[in-house]
Amino acid sequence: MYFAALLARTEDGWEASDTELDDVETLSDLTDLAREASVDEDTVLVFIEQEDAWFGVIRVDGEEDPRIYISDASSAARSSYGEILLTDELLGREPEAEDSIAALEELVGLDGTEDGEPDHTTDNQTDHDDNDDDGLDADAVPTGPLGDTGILSDLGLAEKELLMLRTDALVEIADALGAAEVLETVR
């Protein structure tokens, strides 16, 4: 079960609205949705929560790039909405680098041998191309918090407090921002 809401900051405080994520397929779509809810390019927060598994906060300030915080990246990775937030940049990966390399290898037919040469791999040899020497999986998503831990610091919720949140996190965040009543109306 998911819950998603937008909190838009206005001159009079925060305005909340629940939001449907059915048409959101990318972070860009989500950012556009937040910008549409913005009043005078002010701060908009998007909250996404999957019961007690994980929560995410996306902050959009005008035309700046969105800032993202995810409470548990490995749980979010198993969620369609979480996958939207887990960008290559957030995970510290080259954007689609593996896809580009695989496409180039396929295009030129690289299999480790020259054209016309036999494959000299014996039964006792193993192919190590699929494994990194350091034993780490390049596609692994870290367990625990990921992203901008200072995302709400200037709004009243310190990094340390954000990192300690587990259950009812969105309620506690809204309370720290002075928007608990507003969020409750859409919950």
Side-chain angles (χ1 to χ4, degrees):
M1 183 76 174
Y2 289 95
F3 170 73
L6 286 167
L7 277 181
R9 189 159 73 174
T10 68
E11 291 178 2
D12 301 326
W14 292 95
E15 290 182 8
S17 60
D18 60 343
T19 186
E20 283 295 320
L21 298 178
D22 293 341
D23 296 331
V24 174
E25 294 179 9
T26 65
L27 180 59
S28 181
D29 293 343
L30 189 58
T31 303
D32 290 344
L33 186 69
R35 287 190 177 119
E36 290 171 11
S38 176
V39 177
D40 297 326
E41 295 190 9
D42 227 339
T43 300
V44 176
L45 302 174
V46 180
F47 294 147
I48 301 175
E49 178 181 58
Q50 182 182 4
E51 292 185 345
D52 291 332
W54 68 275
F55 70 90
V57 179
I58 303 89
R59 178 177 177 163
V60 178
D61 293 300
E63 292 300 316
E64 292 181 28
D65 288 341
R67 295 167 59 190
I68 302 168
Y69 173 78
I70 300 171
S71 66
D72 186 345
S74 62
S75 293
R78 294 185 296 269
S79 156
S80 58
Y81 296 125
E83 287 180 342
I84 292 171
L85 305 181
L86 292 168
T87 63
D88 288 333
E89 181 180 344
L90 189 66
L91 292 167
R93 297 182 190 152
E94 287 291 319
E96 301 179 28
E98 288 184 21
D99 295 339
S100 299
I101 292 169
L104 286 173
E105 287 177 348
E106 186 176 311
L107 182 65
V108 295
L110 297 178
D111 64 358
T113 63
E114 295 294 324
D115 287 340
E117 286 185 26
D119 183 359
H120 294 292
T121 305
T122 63
D123 292 339
N124 294 335
Q125 294 176 318
T126 58
D127 184 9
H128 294 288
D129 290 342
D130 294 336
N131 297 324
D132 292 335
D133 291 335
D134 59 10
L136 297 175
D137 180 2
D139 290 333
V141 176
T143 300
L146 184 66
D148 185 349
T149 57
I151 192 169
L152 302 171
S153 294
D154 64 323
L155 300 174
L157 189 68
E159 292 180 41
K160 183 178 178 182
E161 294 171 14
L162 181 62
L163 289 169
M164 292 181 358
L165 295 177
R166 296 291 173 250
T167 59
D168 294 327
L170 300 186
V171 172
E172 290 185 42
I173 291 170
D175 189 44
L177 302 176
E181 288 180 19
V182 182
L183 182 65
E184 192 59 38
T185 62
V186 296
R187 198 151 171 95

